[in-house]
């Protein structure tokens, strides 16, 4: 028996790997945490799946419905985790089937420690059993958190769950959530499909919210927090600046800027608002296909800040077919008047080897929010960017 166990462990150790090909572009979906925290139940999840189908989000590319913390009840007598029987009376298999019947995918949450951040049972010591249970239920995506992990090594703990998922045999996207503390961008490429780079996001544009022992962060703070880690991202392995707060109380301009910048970063696009009750402006932001196409571009290059003035800046993201996305971003509380002479300022991405010399080559300019063509790079770009807003364009070689 002992020999068999050792043999199994060696086999898993040698052949454990992550499932390839599951996130060749950044995952898109919805997660319950930002809006509902622990107030989750099967009715909310089913209604959210219905909304994603009927409001056009599924058509725009969103397909994961992820239940975050607090779905868990107790473990059964054999140690298998069970959902909270009051909130999920039909069970997780039935919920997964419902989500799948809508043509969507099902995501769930656990934690590498003894308990989740919300105090529910964590996966520590039960990794293989939990992975087996998720596979039986039909889970397609696992977000794996980092609370109550004193004494654990992050790489080792995430490796164990990766191997457990692989051994369970069902392809499951593995979303690492240790807040960037141990720099997962340096070690997680072969372990997870995405990894959080920061602590929790808050629905504010600029500021920090203290919660005693930890902070949550505004959009601007998250944007600047990790410096240049863009070379770690690419098809199959993404930097994750956290789930979105679009529709959770910021202004429309701020929501538009937040969404645009997440797309420039090739970030996972995980909506965090109430999909059942949102206004048209919020829905238009979340489903702007021209902006989403920048996020989902098959080159998978994370954008970068390529030009900065006191109050505004330009972010650039090389795209396939010689195209380039640019986001003119006003960080300030006053309108910014921009006069940008393309001929004077080439854009160079030395890290990925993409260069755009506008005096040598002409590009057509497409406004991705107005859905309008805006002339070419032959003439300076003159515009006003409203407070906390963006102008996002795509440059397409003219001939
Ligand atoms: C952590 C994560 C959040 C969320 C909560 C749930 O704070 O970073 O995204 O999952 O735990 O308790």
């Amino acid at each position: 028996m002992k020999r068999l166990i050792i043999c199994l462990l060696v086999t898993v150790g040698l052949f454990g790997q992550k499932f390839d090909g599951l996130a060749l572009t950044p995952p898109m979906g919805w997660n319950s945490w930002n809006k509902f925290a622990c107030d989750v139940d099967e009715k909310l999840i089913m209604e959210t799946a219905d909304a994603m189908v009927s409001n056009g989000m599924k058509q725009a590319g969103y397909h994961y419905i992820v239940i975050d913390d607090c779905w868990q009840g107790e473990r059964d007598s054999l140690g298998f985790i069970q959902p909270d029987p009051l909130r999920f009376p039909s069970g997780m298999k039935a919920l997964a089937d419902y989500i799948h019947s809508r043509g969507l995918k099902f995501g769930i949450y656990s934690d590498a420690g003894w308990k989740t951040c919300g105090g529910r049972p964590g996966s520590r010591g039960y990794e293989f059993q939990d992975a087996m249970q998720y596979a039986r239920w039909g889970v397609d995506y696992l977000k794996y958190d980092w609370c109550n992990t004193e004494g654990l090594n992050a790489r080792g703990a995430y490796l164990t769950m990766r191997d457990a998922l692989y051994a369970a045999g069902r392809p499951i996207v593995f979303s690492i959530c240790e807040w960037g503390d141990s720099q997962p961008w340096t070690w997680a490429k072969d372990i997870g499909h995405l990894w959080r780079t920061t602590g929790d996001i808050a629905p504010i544009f600029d500021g920090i919210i203290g919660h005693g022992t930890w902070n949550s962060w505004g959009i601007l703070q998250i944007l600047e927090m990790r410096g240049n880690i863009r070379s770690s991202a690419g098809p199959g392995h993404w930097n994750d600046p956290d789930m979105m707060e679009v529709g959770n109380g910021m202004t429309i301009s701020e929501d538009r800027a937040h969404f645009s910048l997440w797309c420039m970063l090739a970030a996972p696009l995980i909506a965090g608002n109430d999909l059942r009750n949102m206004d048209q402006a919020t829905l238009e932001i979340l489903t702007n296909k021209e902006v989403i196409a920048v996020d989902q571009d098959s080159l998978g290059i994370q954008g970068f800040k390529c030009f900065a003035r006191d109050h505004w800046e330009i972010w650039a993201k090389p795209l396939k077919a010689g195209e380039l996305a640019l986001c003119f971003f006003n960080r300030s509380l006053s309108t910014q008047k921009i006069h940008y002479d393309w001929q004077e300022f080439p854009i160079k991405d030395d890290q990925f080897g993409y260069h755009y010399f506008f005096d040598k080559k002409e590009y057509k300019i497409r406004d991705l929010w107005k859905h309008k063509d805006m002339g070419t790079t032959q003439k300076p770009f003159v515009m006003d960017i409203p407070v906390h807003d963006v102008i996002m364009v795509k440059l397409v070689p003219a001939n």
Side-chain angles (χ1 to χ4, degrees):
M1 185 63 181
K2 208 168 163 192
R3 258 185 154 168
L4 181 67
I5 290 173
I6 291 171
C7 194
L8 270 173
L9 287 176
V10 169
T11 309
V12 167
L14 283 178
F15 299 111
Q17 60 183 78
K18 89 176 192 194
F19 284 102
D20 276 332
L22 296 185
L24 294 178
T25 60
M28 293 175 66
W30 173 87
N31 174 299
S32 53
W33 185 256
N34 284 355
K35 178 73 185 176
F36 299 98
C38 271
D39 195 10
V40 286
D41 58 30
E42 62 185 35
K43 184 165 172 284
L44 166 71
I45 302 304
M46 289 192 289
E47 287 175 359
T48 300
D50 292 345
M52 188 178 272
V53 174
S54 63
N55 71 11
M57 285 180 73
K58 178 184 171 198
Q59 225 253 322
Y62 296 84
H63 48 254
Y64 291 102
I65 297 277
V66 184
I67 316 177
D68 207 278
D69 207 349
C70 302
W71 61 266
Q72 305 90 339
E74 304 288 321
R75 293 187 179 279
D76 68 14
S77 59
L78 295 175
F80 286 101
I81 187 73
Q82 302 298 323
D84 180 325
L86 295 177
R87 289 176 174 267
F88 296 90
S90 312
M92 286 313 196
K93 174 81 173 74
L95 190 52
D97 288 348
Y98 186 86
I99 291 171
H100 292 148
S101 77
R102 294 289 178 272
L104 299 171
K105 290 180 181 284
F106 178 44
I108 214 165
Y109 161 103
S110 190
D111 187 290
W114 306 102
K115 282 188 171 172
T116 70
C117 300
R120 306 300 167 110
S123 289
R124 178 68 181 148
Y126 293 90
E127 292 88 349
F128 282 74
Q129 213 174 347
D130 283 356
M132 199 190 289
Q133 182 78 317
Y134 304 153
R136 279 188 196 145
W137 284 342
V139 167
D140 306 296
Y141 183 112
L142 173 66
K143 173 175 167 182
Y144 203 51
D145 214 340
W146 191 239
C147 281
N148 306 301
T149 51
E150 293 71 23
L152 290 185
N153 166 273
R155 185 174 178 277
Y158 283 98
L159 203 53
T160 303
M161 189 41 115
R162 177 203 75 173
D163 290 349
L165 292 172
Y166 195 73
R170 182 178 171 89
I172 292 181
V173 170
F174 191 29
S175 160
I176 293 175
C177 176
E178 60 71 83
W179 319 307
D181 287 0
S182 62
Q183 306 190 322
W185 47 91
T186 63
W187 52 258
K189 184 170 177 231
D190 298 322
I191 298 179
H193 301 92
L194 58 158
W195 47 81
R196 281 274 296 278
T197 52
T198 71
D200 288 8
I201 195 169
I204 53 173
F205 200 71
D206 184 9
I208 301 171
I209 299 183
H211 305 267
T213 53
W214 59 284
N215 294 325
S216 54
W217 309 91
I219 307 304
L220 283 183
Q221 284 65 34
I222 287 194
L223 202 55
E224 302 293 338
M225 200 174 289
R226 296 300 179 195
N228 186 352
I229 54 171
R230 58 193 290 259
S231 62
S232 309
H237 48 96
W238 307 100
N239 287 318
D240 172 9
D242 207 355
M243 308 165 300
M244 295 186 288
E245 293 282 14
V246 173
N248 281 343
M250 291 186 286
T251 67
I252 290 297
S253 290
E254 290 170 343
D255 275 353
R256 184 169 33 243
H258 169 28
F259 189 75
S260 302
L261 289 161
W262 260 228
C263 290
M264 294 302 291
L265 293 175
L269 296 181
I270 309 293
N273 58 320
D274 186 348
L275 302 192
R276 304 163 309 170
N277 300 300
M278 69 174 133
D279 55 29
Q280 191 57 28
T282 304
L283 183 62
E284 275 170 22
I285 290 174
L286 288 173
T287 56
N288 182 330
K289 289 188 187 164
E290 292 195 78
V291 174
I292 291 173
V294 170
D295 180 78
Q296 296 288 304
D297 182 79
S298 58
L299 282 186
I301 295 180
Q302 178 172 331
F304 66 109
K305 192 195 297 184
C306 65
F307 185 93
R309 287 287 180 263
D310 277 353
H311 298 299
W312 64 277
E313 49 203 40
I314 306 177
W315 289 67
K317 181 181 194 290
L319 304 175
K320 64 179 191 296
E323 299 180 350
L324 174 71
L326 293 176
C327 185
F328 293 77
F329 171 38
N330 177 2
R331 309 166 60 99
S332 80
L333 288 169
S334 54
T335 302
Q336 296 298 312
K337 292 197 167 304
I338 310 296
H339 183 283
Y340 187 79
D341 191 345
W342 303 100
Q343 309 295 318
E344 228 178 291
F345 299 109
I347 288 174
K348 296 183 198 163
D349 179 355
D350 291 332
Q351 224 171 336
F352 282 88
Y354 288 87
H355 298 121
Y356 307 85
F357 293 103
F358 304 113
D359 55 344
K360 298 208 173 64
K361 194 166 179 162
E362 185 181 359
Y363 290 80
K364 290 186 278 188
I365 305 170
R366 171 84 178 163
D367 186 317
L368 303 184
W369 283 108
K370 295 211 170 88
H371 305 294
K372 266 180 28 198
D373 296 331
M374 307 281 288
T376 76
T377 47
Q378 291 300 99
K379 282 196 191 148
F381 202 45
V382 181
M383 68 203 139
D384 287 349
I385 321 178
V387 172
H388 286 178
D389 209 333
V390 293
I391 292 181
M392 186 158 162
V393 299
K394 186 169 86 165
L395 302 190
V396 180
N399 38 48

